[in-house]
Amino acid sequence: MNLLLIFLIPWRDLNMLLMKIITKYVYELLEKDCNLKKISIPEGYGVIVLNPNENYIEVEKPKIHVQSSSDSSDEPAEKRERKDKVSKETKKRRDFYEKYRNPQREKEMMQLYIRENGSPEEHAIYVWDHFIAQAAAENVFFVAHSYGGLAFVELMIQREADVKNKVTAVALTDSVHNVWHQEAGKTIREWMRENCCNWVSSSEPLDTSVESMLPDCPRVSAGTDRHELTSWKSFPSIFKFFTEASEAKISSLKPAVTRRSHRIKHEEL
């Protein structure tokens, strides 16, 4: 017997479901193959913050329940138990459908912001204070993409001495930080010139110097003009950059990153 099954699934719904499945699979690989540990933050919430730009818990909005006019007190206990079981199964299926397939679910939800992680900047400081600062690692490296670069600069402003003492090098990828608007001090800008590099979206070949109007870190091409690909495309250069910085630190020489900074002239505006 030949059987043909046809599934008609809206692309948006399929995309949402695939994202959930892929995310779960990637986290399993990170734990099993990379020996990483998944930690819930902040303490007591029992949630994993996947995206610091969406640091909130979704909870159902309270609904007004109408009391049923029918009196089930006379029903046999077995029948009531069976009805309750069916009701729970129905709700479970409905919740699953709404969570993964119903784009209207967001209209039925409200956002409860997670304490101390209500913004990317707060999240970066929280992770630093509770994890990075307490880590035994002697060499800490950052890869900060897009708004993550702004969050890192804010972290430096708030924890300057600690960051300088623990961080070996920072790779920014198409960062949107601005040392003037964020009011980063002179000592921070000097440290960034020596220990940071920003791989920006550009049609030029990878590592080609790109002119900068800001007196902070050197800017080089990420080898792509697509913002979302800048991290991926510049990885080979980023890891080489980290290796050079680590070796320079070990040998107590001037960080190799300064050689990169000589390509670009910075002016104190």
Side-chain angles (χ1 to χ4, degrees):
M1 177 181 177
N2 294 325
L3 181 64
L4 175 63
L5 294 177
I6 300 176
F7 294 91
L8 299 177
I9 304 176
W11 171 246
R12 171 174 175 151
D13 297 344
L14 178 60
N15 191 38
M16 291 174 63
L17 181 58
L18 285 175
M19 284 193 295
K20 295 285 185 179
I21 295 173
I22 293 173
T23 297
K24 183 175 182 295
Y25 177 68
V26 169
Y27 269 86
E28 289 176 353
L29 289 178
L30 290 173
E31 291 183 89
K32 295 177 182 178
D33 295 355
C34 300
N35 297 318
L36 297 181
K37 184 179 180 181
K38 184 167 65 175
I39 301 176
S40 298
I41 60 173
E43 294 85 352
Y45 269 82
V47 297
I48 307 299
V49 178
L50 301 177
N51 183 351
N53 289 309
E54 298 177 356
N55 288 356
Y56 54 82
I57 304 173
E58 287 189 337
V59 295
E60 289 195 25
K61 292 180 179 178
K63 298 179 181 179
I64 300 176
H65 296 279
V66 180
Q67 183 67 33
S68 176
S69 59
S70 59
D71 186 3
S72 60
S73 59
D74 295 331
E75 290 182 349
E78 184 179 349
K79 184 176 181 181
R80 288 202 304 271
E81 184 179 338
R82 185 165 59 250
K83 287 178 64 177
D84 290 341
K85 184 177 180 181
V86 172
S87 177
K88 289 179 180 178
E89 288 297 321
T90 301
K91 184 178 184 302
K92 186 177 180 181
R93 287 195 297 270
R94 184 174 64 250
D95 289 347
F96 179 85
Y97 176 83
E98 290 178 344
K99 182 177 181 181
Y100 291 100
R101 298 176 173 81
N102 185 4
Q104 299 301 319
R105 181 169 176 77
E106 59 187 30
K107 296 180 180 179
E108 303 171 6
M109 308 297 287
M110 63 181 180
Q111 296 178 354
L112 176 64
Y113 281 88
I114 302 173
R115 68 171 185 268
E116 301 180 85
N117 287 268
S119 70
E121 295 90 334
E122 285 186 2
H123 176 64
I125 294 173
Y126 181 92
V127 171
W128 177 271
D129 290 343
H130 290 78
F131 300 100
I132 303 175
Q134 301 177 24
E138 297 180 355
N139 290 300
V140 175
F141 301 91
F142 271 81
V143 177
H145 174 67
S146 191
Y147 199 91
L150 186 149
F152 175 79
V153 172
E154 182 62 27
L155 172 64
M156 279 217 70
I157 294 173
Q158 300 297 328
R159 304 288 188 272
E160 181 177 351
D162 294 337
V163 171
K164 288 180 176 179
N165 183 57
K166 203 169 185 65
V167 176
T168 301
V170 179
L172 306 173
T173 58
D174 229 8
S175 172
V176 297
H177 72 278
N178 188 304
V179 292
W180 291 133
H181 293 166
Q182 294 181 256
E183 299 182 351
K186 182 179 180 181
T187 55
I188 291 177
R189 300 196 303 270
E190 290 175 347
W191 187 90
M192 291 183 66
R193 276 200 293 270
E194 298 298 315
N195 299 279
C196 301
C197 185
N198 189 9
W199 279 262
V200 300
S201 54
S202 169
S203 58
E204 296 294 327
L206 180 65
D207 279 341
T208 302
S209 296
V210 177
E211 186 178 0
S212 174
M213 293 297 294
L214 294 175
D216 49 25
C217 58
R219 286 162 42 104
V220 296
S221 172
T224 177
D225 54 7
R226 293 180 58 181
H227 172 75
E228 67 275 16
L229 295 181
T230 49
S231 296
W232 171 253
K233 289 289 187 177
S234 56
F235 269 162
S237 185
I238 288 175
F239 283 110
K240 181 181 178 182
F241 170 67
F242 285 166
T243 300
E244 291 176 355
S246 180
E247 291 174 348
K249 182 178 180 179
I250 293 174
S251 61
S252 298
L253 297 175
K254 198 172 183 179
V257 32
T258 59
R259 292 198 298 271
R260 189 186 296 271
S261 66
H262 289 328
R263 300 187 212 165
I264 303 172
K265 293 182 179 179
H266 296 279
E267 297 180 359
E268 294 290 340
L269 301 179

PDB file of all heavy atoms in Angstrom, residues 234-263:
ATOM      1  N   SER A 234      34.900  36.803  10.259  1.00  0.00           N
ATOM      2  CA  SER A 234      36.165  37.277  10.826  1.00  0.00           C
ATOM      3  C   SER A 234      36.748  36.330  11.876  1.00  0.00           C
ATOM      4  O   SER A 234      37.797  36.630  12.448  1.00  0.00           O
ATOM      5  CB  SER A 234      35.965  38.668  11.447  1.00  0.00           C
ATOM      6  OG  SER A 234      34.922  38.652  12.408  1.00  0.00           O
ATOM      7  N   PHE A 235      36.104  35.203  12.140  1.00  0.00           N
ATOM      8  CA  PHE A 235      36.590  34.276  13.158  1.00  0.00           C
ATOM      9  C   PHE A 235      38.065  33.891  12.998  1.00  0.00           C
ATOM     10  O   PHE A 235      38.816  33.891  13.982  1.00  0.00           O
ATOM     11  CB  PHE A 235      35.718  33.016  13.211  1.00  0.00           C
ATOM     12  CG  PHE A 235      34.582  33.128  14.186  1.00  0.00           C
ATOM     13  CD1 PHE A 235      33.501  32.267  14.107  1.00  0.00           C
ATOM     14  CD2 PHE A 235      34.578  34.087  15.184  1.00  0.00           C
ATOM     15  CE1 PHE A 235      32.449  32.369  15.010  1.00  0.00           C
ATOM     16  CE2 PHE A 235      33.536  34.199  16.086  1.00  0.00           C
ATOM     17  CZ  PHE A 235      32.464  33.335  15.999  1.00  0.00           C
ATOM     18  N   PRO A 236      38.534  33.529  11.791  1.00  0.00           N
ATOM     19  CA  PRO A 236      39.954  33.158  11.655  1.00  0.00           C
ATOM     20  C   PRO A 236      40.887  34.268  12.129  1.00  0.00           C
ATOM     21  O   PRO A 236      41.871  34.019  12.834  1.00  0.00           O
ATOM     22  CB  PRO A 236      40.106  32.897  10.148  1.00  0.00           C
ATOM     23  CG  PRO A 236      38.732  32.530   9.691  1.00  0.00           C
ATOM     24  CD  PRO A 236      37.808  33.381  10.510  1.00  0.00           C
ATOM     25  N   SER A 237      40.563  35.501  11.762  1.00  0.00           N
ATOM     26  CA  SER A 237      41.384  36.627  12.160  1.00  0.00           C
ATOM     27  C   SER A 237      41.251  36.918  13.655  1.00  0.00           C
ATOM     28  O   SER A 237      42.226  37.287  14.320  1.00  0.00           O
ATOM     29  CB  SER A 237      40.985  37.875  11.353  1.00  0.00           C
ATOM     30  OG  SER A 237      41.848  38.953  11.653  1.00  0.00           O
ATOM     31  N   ILE A 238      40.039  36.738  14.186  1.00  0.00           N
ATOM     32  CA  ILE A 238      39.804  36.991  15.614  1.00  0.00           C
ATOM     33  C   ILE A 238      40.626  36.038  16.475  1.00  0.00           C
ATOM     34  O   ILE A 238      41.275  36.456  17.445  1.00  0.00           O
ATOM     35  CB  ILE A 238      38.302  36.858  15.947  1.00  0.00           C
ATOM     36  CG1 ILE A 238      37.527  38.044  15.378  1.00  0.00           C
ATOM     37  CG2 ILE A 238      38.090  36.768  17.456  1.00  0.00           C
ATOM     38  CD1 ILE A 238      36.027  37.951  15.555  1.00  0.00           C
ATOM     39  N   PHE A 239      40.634  34.754  16.140  1.00  0.00           N
ATOM     40  CA  PHE A 239      41.380  33.785  16.941  1.00  0.00           C
ATOM     41  C   PHE A 239      42.894  34.002  16.815  1.00  0.00           C
ATOM     42  O   PHE A 239      43.643  33.773  17.767  1.00  0.00           O
ATOM     43  CB  PHE A 239      40.997  32.363  16.557  1.00  0.00           C
ATOM     44  CG  PHE A 239      39.664  31.947  17.126  1.00  0.00           C
ATOM     45  CD1 PHE A 239      38.561  31.766  16.313  1.00  0.00           C
ATOM     46  CD2 PHE A 239      39.519  31.747  18.491  1.00  0.00           C
ATOM     47  CE1 PHE A 239      37.330  31.397  16.847  1.00  0.00           C
ATOM     48  CE2 PHE A 239      38.297  31.380  19.038  1.00  0.00           C
ATOM     49  CZ  PHE A 239      37.200  31.212  18.217  1.00  0.00           C
ATOM     50  N   LYS A 240      43.335  34.464  15.663  1.00  0.00           N
ATOM     51  CA  LYS A 240      44.740  34.809  15.512  1.00  0.00           C
ATOM     52  C   LYS A 240      45.075  36.008  16.399  1.00  0.00           C
ATOM     53  O   LYS A 240      46.116  36.054  17.059  1.00  0.00           O
ATOM     54  CB  LYS A 240      45.042  35.140  14.048  1.00  0.00           C
ATOM     55  CG  LYS A 240      46.501  35.487  13.791  1.00  0.00           C
ATOM     56  CD  LYS A 240      46.732  35.825  12.322  1.00  0.00           C
ATOM     57  CE  LYS A 240      48.182  36.212  12.081  1.00  0.00           C
ATOM     58  NZ  LYS A 240      48.428  36.586  10.659  1.00  0.00           N
ATOM     59  N   PHE A 241      44.172  36.963  16.430  1.00  0.00           N
ATOM     60  CA  PHE A 241      44.304  38.155  17.267  1.00  0.00           C
ATOM     61  C   PHE A 241      44.388  37.772  18.746  1.00  0.00           C
ATOM     62  O   PHE A 241      45.235  38.267  19.496  1.00  0.00           O
ATOM     63  CB  PHE A 241      43.095  39.049  16.994  1.00  0.00           C
ATOM     64  CG  PHE A 241      42.923  40.212  17.925  1.00  0.00           C
ATOM     65  CD1 PHE A 241      43.828  41.267  17.941  1.00  0.00           C
ATOM     66  CD2 PHE A 241      41.821  40.281  18.765  1.00  0.00           C
ATOM     67  CE1 PHE A 241      43.646  42.352  18.785  1.00  0.00           C
ATOM     68  CE2 PHE A 241      41.635  41.363  19.614  1.00  0.00           C
ATOM     69  CZ  PHE A 241      42.540  42.402  19.623  1.00  0.00           C
ATOM     70  N   PHE A 242      43.540  36.844  19.171  1.00  0.00           N
ATOM     71  CA  PHE A 242      43.551  36.380  20.560  1.00  0.00           C
ATOM     72  C   PHE A 242      44.852  35.641  20.884  1.00  0.00           C
ATOM     73  O   PHE A 242      45.423  35.806  21.967  1.00  0.00           O
ATOM     74  CB  PHE A 242      42.358  35.461  20.812  1.00  0.00           C
ATOM     75  CG  PHE A 242      41.037  36.172  20.935  1.00  0.00           C
ATOM     76  CD1 PHE A 242      39.840  35.464  20.882  1.00  0.00           C
ATOM     77  CD2 PHE A 242      40.987  37.550  21.106  1.00  0.00           C
ATOM     78  CE1 PHE A 242      38.630  36.118  21.006  1.00  0.00           C
ATOM     79  CE2 PHE A 242      39.776  38.211  21.226  1.00  0.00           C
ATOM     80  CZ  PHE A 242      38.587  37.499  21.174  1.00  0.00           C
ATOM     81  N   THR A 243      45.308  34.818  19.949  1.00  0.00           N
ATOM     82  CA  THR A 243      46.544  34.062  20.166  1.00  0.00           C
ATOM     83  C   THR A 243      47.731  35.003  20.343  1.00  0.00           C
ATOM     84  O   THR A 243      48.564  34.828  21.239  1.00  0.00           O
ATOM     85  CB  THR A 243      46.803  33.105  18.989  1.00  0.00           C
ATOM     86  OG1 THR A 243      45.710  32.190  18.869  1.00  0.00           O
ATOM     87  CG2 THR A 243      48.097  32.318  19.200  1.00  0.00           C
ATOM     88  N   GLU A 244      47.815  36.012  19.477  1.00  0.00           N
ATOM     89  CA  GLU A 244      48.910  36.978  19.564  1.00  0.00           C
ATOM     90  C   GLU A 244      48.862  37.731  20.891  1.00  0.00           C
ATOM     91  O   GLU A 244      49.895  37.945  21.537  1.00  0.00           O
ATOM     92  CB  GLU A 244      48.822  37.966  18.408  1.00  0.00           C
ATOM     93  CG  GLU A 244      49.120  37.350  17.047  1.00  0.00           C
ATOM     94  CD  GLU A 244      48.930  38.351  15.926  1.00  0.00           C
ATOM     95  OE1 GLU A 244      48.474  39.483  16.219  1.00  0.00           O
ATOM     96  OE2 GLU A 244      49.232  38.023  14.770  1.00  0.00           O
ATOM     97  N   ALA A 245      47.680  38.124  21.317  1.00  0.00           N
ATOM     98  CA  ALA A 245      47.533  38.867  22.572  1.00  0.00           C
ATOM     99  C   ALA A 245      47.925  37.997  23.765  1.00  0.00           C
ATOM    100  O   ALA A 245      48.587  38.463  24.695  1.00  0.00           O
ATOM    101  CB  ALA A 245      46.097  39.360  22.724  1.00  0.00           C
ATOM    102  N   SER A 246      47.537  36.713  23.713  1.00  0.00           N
ATOM    103  CA  SER A 246      47.863  35.795  24.807  1.00  0.00           C
ATOM    104  C   SER A 246      49.367  35.549  24.883  1.00  0.00           C
ATOM    105  O   SER A 246      49.956  35.550  25.968  1.00  0.00           O
ATOM    106  CB  SER A 246      47.118  34.477  24.611  1.00  0.00           C
ATOM    107  OG  SER A 246      47.407  33.576  25.654  1.00  0.00           O
ATOM    108  N   GLU A 247      49.985  35.340  23.722  1.00  0.00           N
ATOM    109  CA  GLU A 247      51.435  35.104  23.691  1.00  0.00           C
ATOM    110  C   GLU A 247      52.193  36.335  24.162  1.00  0.00           C
ATOM    111  O   GLU A 247      53.206  36.226  24.863  1.00  0.00           O
ATOM    112  CB  GLU A 247      51.859  34.715  22.277  1.00  0.00           C
ATOM    113  CG  GLU A 247      51.349  33.336  21.843  1.00  0.00           C
ATOM    114  CD  GLU A 247      51.668  33.044  20.393  1.00  0.00           C
ATOM    115  OE1 GLU A 247      52.081  33.990  19.671  1.00  0.00           O
ATOM    116  OE2 GLU A 247      51.494  31.883  19.970  1.00  0.00           O
ATOM    117  N   ALA A 248      51.731  37.514  23.778  1.00  0.00           N
ATOM    118  CA  ALA A 248      52.385  38.750  24.187  1.00  0.00           C
ATOM    119  C   ALA A 248      52.285  38.939  25.696  1.00  0.00           C
ATOM    120  O   ALA A 248      53.219  39.411  26.342  1.00  0.00           O
ATOM    121  CB  ALA A 248      51.748  39.934  23.465  1.00  0.00           C
ATOM    122  N   LYS A 249      51.133  38.552  26.255  1.00  0.00           N
ATOM    123  CA  LYS A 249      50.950  38.673  27.707  1.00  0.00           C
ATOM    124  C   LYS A 249      51.885  37.731  28.449  1.00  0.00           C
ATOM    125  O   LYS A 249      52.486  38.102  29.460  1.00  0.00           O
ATOM    126  CB  LYS A 249      49.496  38.377  28.067  1.00  0.00           C
ATOM    127  CG  LYS A 249      49.184  38.522  29.545  1.00  0.00           C
ATOM    128  CD  LYS A 249      47.717  38.257  29.818  1.00  0.00           C
ATOM    129  CE  LYS A 249      47.409  38.392  31.304  1.00  0.00           C
ATOM    130  NZ  LYS A 249      45.970  38.153  31.593  1.00  0.00           N
ATOM    131  N   ILE A 250      52.014  36.513  27.927  1.00  0.00           N
ATOM    132  CA  ILE A 250      52.871  35.518  28.569  1.00  0.00           C
ATOM    133  C   ILE A 250      54.335  35.944  28.529  1.00  0.00           C
ATOM    134  O   ILE A 250      55.090  35.787  29.487  1.00  0.00           O
ATOM    135  CB  ILE A 250      52.698  34.142  27.890  1.00  0.00           C
ATOM    136  CG1 ILE A 250      51.279  33.609  28.149  1.00  0.00           C
ATOM    137  CG2 ILE A 250      53.730  33.146  28.406  1.00  0.00           C
ATOM    138  CD1 ILE A 250      50.956  32.331  27.398  1.00  0.00           C
ATOM    139  N   SER A 251      54.745  36.478  27.412  1.00  0.00           N
ATOM    140  CA  SER A 251      56.153  36.877  27.254  1.00  0.00           C
ATOM    141  C   SER A 251      56.445  38.257  27.836  1.00  0.00           C
ATOM    142  O   SER A 251      57.568  38.752  27.732  1.00  0.00           O
ATOM    143  CB  SER A 251      56.535  36.850  25.777  1.00  0.00           C
ATOM    144  OG  SER A 251      55.732  37.766  25.056  1.00  0.00           O
ATOM    145  N   SER A 252      55.391  38.875  28.420  1.00  0.00           N
ATOM    146  CA  SER A 252      55.540  40.192  29.055  1.00  0.00           C
ATOM    147  C   SER A 252      56.005  41.263  28.074  1.00  0.00           C
ATOM    148  O   SER A 252      56.640  42.249  28.469  1.00  0.00           O
ATOM    149  CB  SER A 252      56.528  40.128  30.225  1.00  0.00           C
ATOM    150  OG  SER A 252      56.055  39.245  31.212  1.00  0.00           O
ATOM    151  N   LEU A 253      55.687  41.057  26.789  1.00  0.00           N
ATOM    152  CA  LEU A 253      56.011  42.057  25.788  1.00  0.00           C
ATOM    153  C   LEU A 253      54.811  42.963  25.586  1.00  0.00           C
ATOM    154  O   LEU A 253      53.721  42.691  26.062  1.00  0.00           O
ATOM    155  CB  LEU A 253      56.367  41.386  24.459  1.00  0.00           C
ATOM    156  CG  LEU A 253      57.607  40.489  24.478  1.00  0.00           C
ATOM    157  CD1 LEU A 253      57.759  39.815  23.126  1.00  0.00           C
ATOM    158  CD2 LEU A 253      58.850  41.303  24.812  1.00  0.00           C
ATOM    159  N   LYS A 254      55.009  44.028  24.845  1.00  0.00           N
ATOM    160  CA  LYS A 254      53.901  44.909  24.530  1.00  0.00           C
ATOM    161  C   LYS A 254      52.904  44.131  23.699  1.00  0.00           C
ATOM    162  O   LYS A 254      53.289  43.450  22.747  1.00  0.00           O
ATOM    163  CB  LYS A 254      54.392  46.125  23.734  1.00  0.00           C
ATOM    164  CG  LYS A 254      53.402  47.277  23.738  1.00  0.00           C
ATOM    165  CD  LYS A 254      54.019  48.514  23.111  1.00  0.00           C
ATOM    166  CE  LYS A 254      53.049  49.674  23.182  1.00  0.00           C
ATOM    167  NZ  LYS A 254      53.607  50.894  22.603  1.00  0.00           N
ATOM    168  N   PRO A 255      51.607  44.186  24.017  1.00  0.00           N
ATOM    169  CA  PRO A 255      50.609  43.391  23.308  1.00  0.00           C
ATOM    170  C   PRO A 255      50.713  43.519  21.801  1.00  0.00           C
ATOM    171  O   PRO A 255      50.891  44.609  21.270  1.00  0.00           O
ATOM    172  CB  PRO A 255      49.272  43.958  23.821  1.00  0.00           C
ATOM    173  CG  PRO A 255      49.611  44.500  25.168  1.00  0.00           C
ATOM    174  CD  PRO A 255      51.011  45.044  25.038  1.00  0.00           C
ATOM    175  N   ALA A 256      50.615  42.360  21.120  1.00  0.00           N
ATOM    176  CA  ALA A 256      50.729  42.355  19.655  1.00  0.00           C
ATOM    177  C   ALA A 256      49.645  43.191  19.014  1.00  0.00           C
ATOM    178  O   ALA A 256      49.784  43.647  17.895  1.00  0.00           O
ATOM    179  CB  ALA A 256      50.657  40.918  19.143  1.00  0.00           C
ATOM    180  N   VAL A 257      48.526  43.410  19.744  1.00  0.00           N
ATOM    181  CA  VAL A 257      47.428  44.177  19.180  1.00  0.00           C
ATOM    182  C   VAL A 257      47.856  45.592  18.826  1.00  0.00           C
ATOM    183  O   VAL A 257      47.278  46.215  17.956  1.00  0.00           O
ATOM    184  CB  VAL A 257      46.232  44.208  20.154  1.00  0.00           C
ATOM    185  CG1 VAL A 257      46.633  44.175  21.549  1.00  0.00           C
ATOM    186  CG2 VAL A 257      45.320  45.331  19.899  1.00  0.00           C
ATOM    187  N   THR A 258      48.910  46.134  19.489  1.00  0.00           N
ATOM    188  CA  THR A 258      49.332  47.503  19.195  1.00  0.00           C
ATOM    189  C   THR A 258      49.867  47.636  17.780  1.00  0.00           C
ATOM    190  O   THR A 258      49.785  48.685  17.181  1.00  0.00           O
ATOM    191  CB  THR A 258      50.412  47.954  20.186  1.00  0.00           C
ATOM    192  OG1 THR A 258      51.534  47.069  20.095  1.00  0.00           O
ATOM    193  CG2 THR A 258      49.889  47.951  21.601  1.00  0.00           C
ATOM    194  N   ARG A 259      50.428  46.550  17.247  1.00  0.00           N
ATOM    195  CA  ARG A 259      50.924  46.602  15.871  1.00  0.00           C
ATOM    196  C   ARG A 259      49.778  46.865  14.912  1.00  0.00           C
ATOM    197  O   ARG A 259      49.928  47.538  13.915  1.00  0.00           O
ATOM    198  CB  ARG A 259      51.624  45.289  15.527  1.00  0.00           C
ATOM    199  CG  ARG A 259      52.904  45.057  16.284  1.00  0.00           C
ATOM    200  CD  ARG A 259      53.748  44.009  15.591  1.00  0.00           C
ATOM    201  NE  ARG A 259      53.093  42.727  15.523  1.00  0.00           N
ATOM    202  CZ  ARG A 259      53.196  41.814  16.466  1.00  0.00           C
ATOM    203  NH1 ARG A 259      53.890  42.064  17.575  1.00  0.00           N
ATOM    204  NH2 ARG A 259      52.592  40.646  16.347  1.00  0.00           N
ATOM    205  N   ARG A 260      48.608  46.288  15.238  1.00  0.00           N
ATOM    206  CA  ARG A 260      47.440  46.513  14.400  1.00  0.00           C
ATOM    207  C   ARG A 260      46.971  47.967  14.510  1.00  0.00           C
ATOM    208  O   ARG A 260      46.525  48.569  13.555  1.00  0.00           O
ATOM    209  CB  ARG A 260      46.320  45.556  14.832  1.00  0.00           C
ATOM    210  CG  ARG A 260      45.130  45.553  13.902  1.00  0.00           C
ATOM    211  CD  ARG A 260      44.028  44.689  14.508  1.00  0.00           C
ATOM    212  NE  ARG A 260      44.427  43.303  14.616  1.00  0.00           N
ATOM    213  CZ  ARG A 260      44.260  42.405  13.671  1.00  0.00           C
ATOM    214  NH1 ARG A 260      43.719  42.768  12.524  1.00  0.00           N
ATOM    215  NH2 ARG A 260      44.628  41.150  13.848  1.00  0.00           N
ATOM    216  N   SER A 261      47.122  48.536  15.716  1.00  0.00           N
ATOM    217  CA  SER A 261      46.630  49.892  15.927  1.00  0.00           C
ATOM    218  C   SER A 261      47.464  50.927  15.184  1.00  0.00           C
ATOM    219  O   SER A 261      46.997  52.016  14.910  1.00  0.00           O
ATOM    220  CB  SER A 261      46.608  50.226  17.432  1.00  0.00           C
ATOM    221  OG  SER A 261      47.918  50.260  17.946  1.00  0.00           O
ATOM    222  N   HIS A 262      48.722  50.602  14.858  1.00  0.00           N
ATOM    223  CA  HIS A 262      49.572  51.556  14.167  1.00  0.00           C
ATOM    224  C   HIS A 262      49.096  51.811  12.737  1.00  0.00           C
ATOM    225  O   HIS A 262      49.482  52.790  12.119  1.00  0.00           O
ATOM    226  CB  HIS A 262      51.015  51.053  14.123  1.00  0.00           C
ATOM    227  CG  HIS A 262      51.678  51.107  15.475  1.00  0.00           C
ATOM    228  ND1 HIS A 262      51.382  52.073  16.415  1.00  0.00           N
ATOM    229  CD2 HIS A 262      52.612  50.287  16.040  1.00  0.00           C
ATOM    230  CE1 HIS A 262      52.114  51.867  17.502  1.00  0.00           C
ATOM    231  NE2 HIS A 262      52.854  50.788  17.300  1.00  0.00           N
ATOM    232  N   ARG A 263      48.237  50.890  12.220  1.00  0.00           N
ATOM    233  CA  ARG A 263      47.777  51.080  10.854  1.00  0.00           C
ATOM    234  C   ARG A 263      46.839  52.269  10.742  1.00  0.00           C
ATOM    235  O   ARG A 263      46.654  52.844   9.689  1.00  0.00           O
ATOM    236  CB  ARG A 263      47.043  49.838  10.366  1.00  0.00           C
ATOM    237  CG  ARG A 263      47.850  48.576  10.355  1.00  0.00           C
ATOM    238  CD  ARG A 263      47.015  47.510   9.691  1.00  0.00           C
ATOM    239  NE  ARG A 263      47.290  46.201  10.237  1.00  0.00           N
ATOM    240  CZ  ARG A 263      46.524  45.164  10.047  1.00  0.00           C
ATOM    241  NH1 ARG A 263      45.419  45.299   9.363  1.00  0.00           N
ATOM    242  NH2 ARG A 263      46.830  43.994  10.541  1.00  0.00           N
TER     243      ARG A 263
END
